[in-house]
Amino acid sequence: MSVTIDIAGLPAGRIRFAPSPLSELCMALHALSQPAHHPGLASWTTATAAALDPCLADRLLEAEFMWRSSFSDIFMAFAGIPGGSGLPAATLAEELDVLDRMDDERFAMAALEHCWLALYNEGGGPSPLKDPLARAKALETAAARGPRQLEFSLRLLDDTASVRVWLRRLLEECDEAFFAQTWRRIEPQQSADARHKTEVLRRKGLAATLHEVSSALSVDAAATTITVDKMVHGSATATDPEIGPGLVFVPTNFGWPHLLVLHAPGWVPVVHYPIRSPELPEPGSVELLQRRMEALAHPMRMMLCRSLARAPYTTSELATVHGITAPEVSRHLSALKKAGLLHTWRQGRYVHHQLDLKVVARIGSEFIEGILR
C-alpha cells in the first residue's frame, strides 16, 4: 500500500519546500481534538485546551471533523487555486485570503472531504452544490457520521457563503487565542528546515532529500515516481496541466506521527511532513510491520518466542522443548528472521537464536505510527 506521485518531466525548480501557517493551524487543531495521537505535545495541548474560551471551544466542535479524523484540503488552499503560485503564503491572514479565492464548488468538496474519502482519488464525483444525487449522497454519508456532521453539511450546501465567513472568523479567533503565539515560536524552525531541504535538493539530488524528509519516502531509479509508504492507496501527478506543474513539501511541528499527502485531482500534490527531532523514531515500513505481526501471530511461533525471549536456543534444543521436528523449527525461525525479530550468532559448531526484545517492544508503537501515518 502506498501513495505515488508522478514527477516525470518535472523541473527540479518546481519541487519546493515552504512552511504553511494554515496547514499548521489544522495540525494544531487536530492535536487539541486528538491529544492521544500526540503524547509529545501533552503539555501544549493541556495548557491550550484549559485556556480556551468556552464559546470558542464549542464552536470548534461544530466543524472538528475537518481536522479530527481526516484533514480537510481547505487547509492547503494554496494548492487548489488554478493559476496561483502553488505555494503557501507567509502569514495566516494571507493564506485565508487565498482560501477566500477558492470557488464555492471546490471549497464545498474540500470541506465535505469526510463524505468523499472512498472517492478521493476520483475527486469525489459531481459537485453536491449542483447535482441532486451528489447532494443526497453527501448528506447520507454525513448523517451516518453523526448529527454534527449532518448539521454542518446542510449549512454548507444551503448557504455556502455564510459558512465560509463563519469558518474564516473561527480560524481568526484561533489565531488570536493561541495560534499566533505558537506560530511565532515554531515558524523560524520550519523556515530553516525548508531552506536546508532546498539546499540538499540542489546539492545532493532528490533521493537524498526524500531520505532527509522521511524514510517512508523514496524515488525510483529513473526519478519519475515518488512513493510514500502509507496504509492507503492513492496517486497524483505533479504535472497536471490544469493546475500547473509543481510539488510542495510543507514541514510541521505538530504533525508527527502523521505524514500527509494531498493527492486530490486538480490540486498541486503536497507532502506535509513532520520535522525530525532526535527523540522521534524513524518510521518503519508498512510491509515490515505487516511481516512482523504475521510472524508473531502463528501459535507455534508464539510458543517459540516464549522460549527465545528467556534465553538463546539452538534449533535442535527448540525442537526437543516443543516436540516438533528440527526442519519445522527452522521454517518458523526463518519467518522470524525475515521479520527482523531474532538475534542469531554462531558459537563453535552451534548456531544460537534469541528474540530481539527491543524490536518486539516497538511493534505496538510502530503499529500506531503506521495506521496514523
Side-chain angles (χ1 to χ4, degrees):
M1 291 182 285
S2 61
V3 177
T4 58
I5 304 172
D6 182 358
I7 58 169
L10 182 69
R14 299 295 293 181
I15 300 175
R16 296 169 292 181
F17 291 80
S20 166
L22 183 56
S23 298
E24 193 70 343
L25 175 54
C26 174
M27 298 311 299
L29 291 171
H30 169 74
L32 285 173
S33 66
Q34 292 278 34
H37 289 191
H38 307 275
L41 299 173
S43 60
W44 182 89
T45 55
T46 301
T48 302
L52 273 185
D53 177 82
C55 292
L56 176 58
D58 286 343
R59 290 199 300 281
L60 285 173
L61 289 176
E62 294 181 42
E64 72 166 357
F65 51 85
M66 286 197 289
W67 53 76
R68 181 180 175 87
S69 57
S70 62
F71 303 92
S72 173
D73 291 342
I74 64 172
F75 291 97
M76 294 184 181
F78 65 87
I81 306 295
S85 69
L87 284 173
T91 68
L92 180 64
E94 290 174 311
E95 290 221 275
L96 291 174
D97 289 343
V98 173
L99 180 59
D100 286 344
R101 294 203 300 272
M102 185 178 290
D103 65 68
D104 282 350
E105 290 183 33
R106 184 165 289 212
F107 178 90
M109 291 290 284
L112 293 174
E113 186 178 315
H114 64 285
C115 296
W116 310 111
L117 292 179
L119 297 174
Y120 189 85
N121 285 327
E122 290 77 30
S127 168
L129 294 179
K130 292 184 175 180
D131 187 280
L133 292 178
R135 174 190 169 94
K137 180 62 177 177
L139 295 178
E140 177 187 356
T141 307
R145 297 292 302 277
R148 189 177 293 130
Q149 287 90 328
L150 176 59
E151 180 183 356
F152 178 84
S153 300
L154 279 166
R155 287 172 53 204
L156 177 65
L157 295 177
D158 291 339
D159 193 355
T160 308
S162 68
V163 171
R164 296 184 70 151
V165 172
W166 174 85
L167 182 61
R168 173 162 184 151
R169 183 56 193 150
L170 177 66
L171 298 178
E172 289 173 338
E173 289 185 29
C174 290
D175 192 44
E176 295 166 7
F178 64 87
F179 185 70
Q181 179 181 5
T182 300
W183 183 245
R184 282 194 296 272
R185 174 173 58 86
I186 64 177
E187 186 278 331
Q189 182 186 6
Q190 292 193 11
S191 293
D193 186 84
R195 289 193 297 270
H196 170 70
K197 298 291 194 300
T198 301
E199 183 64 13
V200 173
L201 179 62
R202 185 185 69 83
R203 295 177 55 225
K204 298 183 179 181
L206 182 58
T209 307
L210 295 179
H211 181 73
E212 287 217 4
V213 171
S214 171
S215 59
L217 293 170
S218 61
V219 64
D220 64 334
T224 60
T225 304
I226 292 174
T227 300
V228 188
D229 186 38
K230 289 172 65 73
M231 285 191 178
V232 294
H233 289 293
S235 61
T237 177
T239 55
D240 190 327
E242 294 185 9
I243 198 72
L247 171 61
V248 182
F249 289 84
V250 174
T252 170
N253 290 79
F254 281 81
W256 187 90
H258 308 295
L259 176 64
L260 307 181
V261 184
L262 190 164
H263 57 283
W267 292 59
V268 172
V270 180
V271 178
H272 202 196
Y273 66 94
I275 293 178
R276 286 190 182 182
S277 60
E279 64 271 17
L280 293 182
E282 280 286 321
S285 74
V286 171
E287 180 184 0
L288 180 59
L289 171 63
Q290 181 177 346
R291 197 183 308 141
R292 285 175 173 169
M293 295 182 73
E294 289 174 348
L296 292 173
H298 192 284
M300 178 50 69
R301 286 198 284 272
M302 289 180 68
M303 295 302 298
L304 293 174
C305 285
R306 188 174 188 274
S307 299
L308 293 166
R310 288 167 166 74
Y313 281 81
T314 65
T315 300
S316 59
E317 286 174 330
L318 288 170
T320 300
V321 169
H322 293 280
I324 60 177
T325 67
E328 286 180 280
V329 173
S330 295
R331 285 194 293 272
H332 288 305
L333 291 179
S334 177
L336 293 171
K337 285 180 189 176
K338 289 179 181 177
L341 297 171
L342 290 185
H343 287 304
T344 299
W345 68 96
R346 179 177 290 278
Q347 189 172 8
R349 61 192 183 91
Y350 297 102
V351 177
H352 295 273
H353 311 279
Q354 190 165 21
L355 195 66
D356 190 331
L357 294 180
K358 289 183 179 179
V359 172
V360 175
R362 275 279 301 152
I363 290 177
S365 55
E366 286 177 349
F367 176 72
I368 293 172
E369 292 158 19
I371 61 176
L372 292 179
R373 187 189 304 164

